[in-house]
Amino acid sequence: MQYELGWLFFIYSFLGWLLEVLFVAIRRRRYVDRGVLNSPLCIVYGFAGVIIAVTMPDIRESTFFLFLFSALYATVIEWIAGHILERATDTRWWDYSHLPMNLDGYVALPVSVLWGILGVVVVKWGNPLLLDLIRMIPQPAGVIILGVLFVLLAVDAVDTVLTLAGLQNRLPQVEAVGNRMAALTLKMGLWLLGRTERRMVKANPQASFTRAKKAKPTVFAQGCGFYKIVMLFFIGSFLGDIAETIFCRITAGYWMSRSSVVWGPFSIVWGLALALATLLLYRYKDRSSTFLFLVGTLLGGAYEYLCSVFTEIVFGTVFWDYSAIPFNLAGRVNLLYCFFWGIAAVVWFRVCYPVLSRWIEKIPIRPGKIITWCLIVFMSVNVVVSSAALSRYTARANGEPPASQWEVYLDEHFDDERMYAIYPKAVHTEQPQAPAEG
C-alpha cells in the first residue's frame, strides 16, 4: 500500500503543478513556475490526493459525502499551506478575496466546490486508472525510481526551506572560507539558494526572504505560538479522557478506560483536536457563535473520520464504531457527535480558552519551556511504546509469536489483559490492502 501511495503522491503533485502552470499561462499569457519547489511538483496536491485516496473509499458510493469530505480536506490543506507560505515569505501566493464566501483570501466556497468535484473524480475514476498504470511498472524498478524521487524531493525541500528561511543573507562570504573544497561547496550552495530565490520572486514578485529579528518574549506562550499549542494539547488530552470516561459511565453504566496511550489518562484524539482547532480558528475566535458552530461541526466530523481511518490502517484496530447510531457514515462519524464538535468549538472559544490561556501565560518563561519539552519527550516515548504495544496486541490476536526480545518484553508487560483494560472498545480488523483503490 505504501508503494502505491508513494506513486500517487508524486503523480498528483505533478498534475497539480501542471494545473497551476496552465492556469497561470492562460491568465497571464506566459509561462510562470508557480511551484514552491524547484522540481515540477506542488506537494499540496500530492498530500490532498493521498489523504483523499486513503480516507474516501469507504464512502465512494455516496457521491454527496465523497464530495463534501474531499472539499473539506483539500480546503484545510490549502488554508494551512497558504498561511505557512505567508509567514515564510511575508506575502500571499494566491488570493481569493475577489471570490464570494472566502476566508482570509486563501480559501473560498467556489474553489472548495472545485476541490470536491476533483475528489469525486479522483476516487471514482482517477485512482483505479492510475493504480492499474502503476502496477504495470515492474515493482523492483518502481521501488528504485520511487526511492530516487524521494531523495531528490528531500534535497529540493531542504534547499527551498533554507531559501525561505533567508539563510543566504546570513551565510559568510565565500572568500572568507579558507579551505578550497569548502569554499567550492559553499559557492555551489549559495548559487542554488540564489537560483531558488530568483525563481520564487519571479513567480511572486512581492515575496520577501529576509527574516526580521523577533522581539524577545516577555510572557510565556503568548498569543497562539508553539508553547501555547503544546500545553493546550496536553490539557485537551487529559480533559478529553476524563470527559469520555464520565460520558461512558453515564451512558454505559460502568467505568472504562478511554485513554489513547498506555501511560496516563490522555486521549490523543481530543488533544490534537483542541490544539488543531485553536491553531486553525484562533484568528476567527471573535466571529459569531453560528460561524464557530458550523466550522466546528464540519471540521470535527472530518477530523474524527480521518482519525478513525488512520488508526485502522496503522494499528489494524477500530477504536470506535457508530454503526448503531442513526445518521452515521461508515460507522466512523455520526451527525449527533458532529454537532457535539460544533458545540465544543463554541464553548471552547467563548468560555474555556480565555481562562486557560491566561493561566498558561502566568507560568514563568524558563520553567514553562522546561516543563513543555519534558512533556513532549514523555508523550513521544508514550506514543512509541503505545504504538508498539498495539501492534503486538493485534499480532497476538492473529496468532503471531514474538520475533524479537522487544516483542517478548511487550508481551510480558502489555499482555492481552492489560491491553483490554486500556482499550476495551478496540476491535481488531484485517489490515486494509489498498484503500487508495476504493
Side-chain angles (χ1 to χ4, degrees), residues 215-235 278-279 282 285 348 353-373 375-376:
K216 192 173 182 179
T218 57
V219 176
F220 173 66
Q222 191 170 12
C224 188
F226 171 77
Y227 290 101
K228 177 70 67 61
I229 294 299
V230 172
M231 295 299 285
L232 290 177
F233 163 78
F234 280 95
I235 292 172
T278 305
L279 193 61
Y282 177 76
K285 60 185 173 62
W348 172 244
Y353 176 77
V355 175
L356 291 175
S357 179
R358 287 195 298 269
W359 287 353
I360 292 172
E361 291 177 5
K362 288 180 179 179
I363 301 173
I365 294 179
R366 185 173 179 79
K369 290 183 177 181
I370 294 173
I371 292 171
T372 301
W373 283 106
L375 289 173
I376 290 173

Side-chain angles (χ1 to χ4, degrees), residues 131-414:
L131 289 172
D132 286 340
L133 294 175
I134 291 170
R135 287 161 186 158
M136 293 175 65
I137 305 173
Q139 188 154 341
V143 170
I144 294 174
I145 296 172
L146 201 57
V148 171
L149 289 174
F150 273 114
V151 171
L152 293 175
L153 176 62
V155 173
D156 195 356
V158 170
D159 170 53
T160 302
V161 169
L162 293 179
T163 303
L164 293 175
L167 185 65
Q168 184 180 7
N169 300 315
R170 297 199 296 268
L171 285 173
Q173 295 296 318
V174 175
E175 291 79 6
V177 181
N179 184 278
R180 182 175 298 179
M181 182 60 68
L184 179 61
T185 302
L186 181 57
K187 188 173 182 179
M188 291 176 62
L190 288 172
W191 173 83
L192 186 60
L193 291 172
R195 180 180 178 278
T196 304
E197 183 173 327
R198 288 191 297 273
R199 181 184 59 78
M200 289 184 176
V201 171
K202 186 177 180 182
N204 197 326
Q206 290 77 37
S208 171
F209 300 94
T210 302
R211 305 268 62 80
K213 290 185 178 180
K214 294 183 179 180
K216 192 173 182 179
T218 57
V219 176
F220 173 66
Q222 191 170 12
C224 188
F226 171 77
Y227 290 101
K228 177 70 67 61
I229 294 299
V230 172
M231 295 299 285
L232 290 177
F233 163 78
F234 280 95
I235 292 172
S237 297
F238 175 75
L239 294 180
D241 181 87
I242 299 302
E244 279 210 40
T245 301
I246 295 174
F247 178 79
C248 289
R249 177 67 179 84
I250 295 172
T251 56
Y254 59 93
W255 297 103
M256 72 172 73
S257 168
R258 300 304 294 158
S259 178
S260 303
V261 288
V262 293
W263 296 325
F266 300 105
S267 174
I268 301 298
V269 172
W270 278 94
L272 284 176
L274 202 65
L276 290 174
T278 305
L279 193 61
L280 291 175
L281 301 179
Y282 177 76
R283 62 177 59 200
Y284 315 116
K285 60 185 173 62
D286 296 323
R287 297 282 290 267
S288 68
S289 296
T290 302
F291 173 85
L292 292 174
F293 173 78
L294 291 176
V295 173
T297 298
L298 291 173
L299 293 183
Y303 168 75
E304 188 172 19
Y305 189 96
L306 182 63
C307 288
S308 175
V309 173
F310 174 81
T311 53
E312 183 174 354
I313 290 175
V314 174
F315 304 116
T317 303
V318 174
F319 288 94
W320 61 84
D321 186 357
Y322 302 142
S323 299
I325 300 177
F327 305 108
N328 74 84
L329 195 60
R332 302 188 187 278
V333 294
N334 67 84
L335 185 60
L336 177 61
Y337 287 5
C338 286
F339 287 156
F340 286 167
W341 285 112
I343 296 170
V346 176
V347 173
W348 172 244
F349 284 110
R350 291 288 181 267
V351 181
C352 302
Y353 176 77
V355 175
L356 291 175
S357 179
R358 287 195 298 269
W359 287 353
I360 292 172
E361 291 177 5
K362 288 180 179 179
I363 301 173
I365 294 179
R366 185 173 179 79
K369 290 183 177 181
I370 294 173
I371 292 171
T372 301
W373 283 106
C374 287
L375 289 173
I376 290 173
V377 172
F378 163 73
M379 187 57 73
S380 298
V381 175
N382 201 356
V383 168
V384 169
V385 174
S386 300
S387 300
L390 277 168
S391 296
R392 272 305 298 159
Y393 189 30
T394 301
R396 287 197 300 270
N398 295 330
E400 299 177 17
S404 65
Q405 283 300 118
W406 169 240
E407 292 185 347
V408 171
Y409 173 86
L410 291 173
D411 287 351
E412 292 176 352
H413 292 80
F414 301 98

